[in-house]
C-alpha cells in the first residue's frame, strides 16, 4: 500500500470511528510494514475554519506526538501475520479491525 486510506471502524454498540491509515514508505517508496493511524476530521470536534492553522508551508510539520489526531502506529512483522500496536488510544477490537484490513491489502 502506497497511499493513505480511510477506514470506518465498527463498534459492537453500533457506533463507528473514522480513521486514516498512512503507510510509512522507505526512500524507494516501498511499504515498510509500519502504518500511522489518525482520526479524521469527521471525528474531530474542533471548529476547523475558525482556528489558526497548525501547519503551513513556512513551518515544520507538527510532530505526531503533538498532533491531537494521531492515534499511534501498527507495525507488521513476519510477512504481515503478526503485528504490534504502539499507542494507547485504540481498543483491541479497533486494532484487530485495522490489522485485518491491512492484511487484506497485501
Amino acid at each position: 500500500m502506497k497511499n493513505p486510506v480511510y477506514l470506518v471502524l465498527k463498534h459492537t454498540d453500533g457506533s463507528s470511528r473514522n480513521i486514516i491509515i498512512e503507510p510509512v514508505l522507505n526512500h524507494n517508496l516501498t511499504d515498510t510494514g509500519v502504518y500511522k493511524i489518525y482520526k479524521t476530521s469527521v471525528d474531530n470536534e474542533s471548529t476547523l475554519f475558525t482556528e489558526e492553522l497548525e501547519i503551513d508551508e513556512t513551518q515544520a510539520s507538527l510532530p505526531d506526538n503533538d498532533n491531537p489526531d494521531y492515534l499511534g502506529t501498527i507495525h507488521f512483522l513476519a510477512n504481515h501475520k503478526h503485528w504490534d500496536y504502539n499507542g494507547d488510544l485504540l481498543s483491541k477490537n479497533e486494532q484487530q479491525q485495522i490489522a485485518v484490513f491491512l492484511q487484506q491489502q497485501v
Side-chain angles (χ1 to χ4, degrees), residues 12-98:
T12 55
D13 66 0
S15 64
S16 62
R17 178 183 220 170
N18 300 296
I19 62 165
I20 299 169
I21 303 171
E22 178 184 302
V24 175
L25 305 175
N26 65 18
H27 65 281
N28 293 325
L29 300 179
T30 56
D31 194 336
T32 62
V34 178
Y35 303 88
K36 294 181 179 185
I37 314 297
Y38 299 93
K39 63 182 174 178
T40 67
S41 61
V42 172
D43 288 336
N44 185 352
E45 296 178 6
S46 63
T47 341
L48 297 175
F49 296 108
T50 60
E51 294 180 356
E52 189 173 320
L53 289 175
E54 293 178 357
I55 301 172
D56 66 28
E57 298 296 323
T58 62
Q59 297 180 1
S61 296
L62 184 66
D64 286 328
N65 291 334
D66 293 336
N67 185 340
D69 294 334
Y70 181 67
L71 299 173
T73 59
I74 286 187
H75 180 210
F76 279 92
L77 310 164
N79 296 327
H80 274 72
K81 293 186 188 225
H82 302 286
W83 52 272
D84 182 44
Y85 170 66
N86 182 9
D88 57 2
L89 298 173
L90 294 174
S91 70
K92 273 291 195 196
N93 179 276
E94 290 174 319
Q95 296 170 38
Q96 183 68 37
Q97 288 181 61
I98 295 167

